[in-house]
Amino acid sequence: MSSQIPRPALNPELAHVHQALPKIGMSTKEELESYRQFLGSSFSLEDAIRGREDMLSYEERDIPGPAGPMRATIFRPKNQTRRIEDRPGVLCLHGGGLVSGNRFVGVIGMLDWVEPLSAILVTAEYRLAPEHPQPAALEDSYAALQWMNNHSTELGFNPHKLVVCGGSAGGNLAAGVTILARDRSGPKICAQVLMYPLLDDSNQGHSVQQFGDLAPWTGSNTIDALRYALGENHEHADIYTVPSRATNLHSLPPTFIDVGEADAFRDEDVSYAANLWKSGVSTELHVWPGCWHGFDARGLFV
């Protein structure tokens, strides 16, 4: 990956933000722990609701998971204006490279949906690699989807309006859970929202060559994170943990994908959108000029 390869310029209005972003390695246990502390200190419940205290209420709850209880946070509008049949439910799967992060990573932007849509948003923890390689995170996320669907009346939303979303590694899990729900005849997902998702494990493509050296998430980070999550030889990779491996994406719900032009994941995300179209899935794709990975979350959403 050479910086000499021609590449589009970064968005000049955001370039000063990018200059402040750190490059954080995770090739050793010490570096990984440092990265975990960095993300953990950057995203919290307090950050998520700051400025929204008059609009949102929240509830902390333990929900059942394959390996035991998983901590979840449920967000609701304080002033509910719609009938239950008109309220969507949103399952938010957090980022963090499958190796770090908590349920509040990336949730801030999605909370913008709660009040105007009268949505119920649930975000839950899942087990992290390398202590728990895939499919641990995938199965935990699927369990959260099932719990949310089964408790739709209690939570107060229409189960026919269930949306799954996530950014980066959360986008990987959202895409994987959506395919899994189809193949297991599980909960009916209304739509999936994938924000700069990690969908491929090859770490190839021209966008990797162009921007694989760019903070905050480098090509080396991808290699290390997938080694932890999928195993040294990617032995835990399949169509659910690596959605780009799916050859048939038929019968999936309408999909929204966005990614930055300066994101190493750009090409795999564009390719996934094309494969969804080929499978007859209604898909909307946005590529943001000059924007890097996680540009809309202070560069921390990975």
Side-chain angles (χ1 to χ4, degrees), residues 100-148:
S100 65
N102 59 46
R103 63 192 181 278
F104 304 113
V105 175
V107 77
I108 292 177
M110 299 175 206
L111 288 178
D112 291 339
W113 307 344
V114 173
E115 186 185 43
L117 299 178
S118 293
I120 309 301
L121 186 145
V122 175
T123 181
E125 303 290 334
Y126 53 78
R127 287 170 290 170
L128 300 174
E131 295 86 352
H132 304 283
Q134 287 282 41
L138 177 75
E139 293 293 351
D140 288 354
S141 300
Y142 186 73
L145 175 71
Q146 288 182 304
W147 177 85
M148 192 172 178

Side-chain angles (χ1 to χ4, degrees), residues 69-104:
M70 303 184 298
R71 195 63 170 171
T73 303
I74 304 161
F75 294 95
R76 298 179 176 90
K78 282 190 174 180
N79 300 308
Q80 187 58 265
T81 59
R82 299 189 186 186
R83 301 173 302 171
I84 189 171
E85 55 264 34
D86 297 325
R87 302 173 198 162
V90 180
L91 175 63
C92 173
L93 300 171
H94 73 77
L98 300 170
V99 298
S100 65
N102 59 46
R103 63 192 181 278
F104 304 113

Side-chain angles (χ1 to χ4, degrees), residues 190-225:
C190 174
Q192 60 175 338
V193 178
L194 313 178
M195 293 165 287
Y196 30 84
L198 169 57
L199 299 171
D200 186 68
D201 64 330
S202 68
N203 203 38
Q204 300 296 319
H206 198 72
S207 59
V208 177
Q209 297 177 41
Q210 285 181 310
F211 298 108
D213 63 335
L214 204 66
W217 187 261
T218 68
S220 295
N221 291 146
T222 300
I223 291 171
D224 291 332

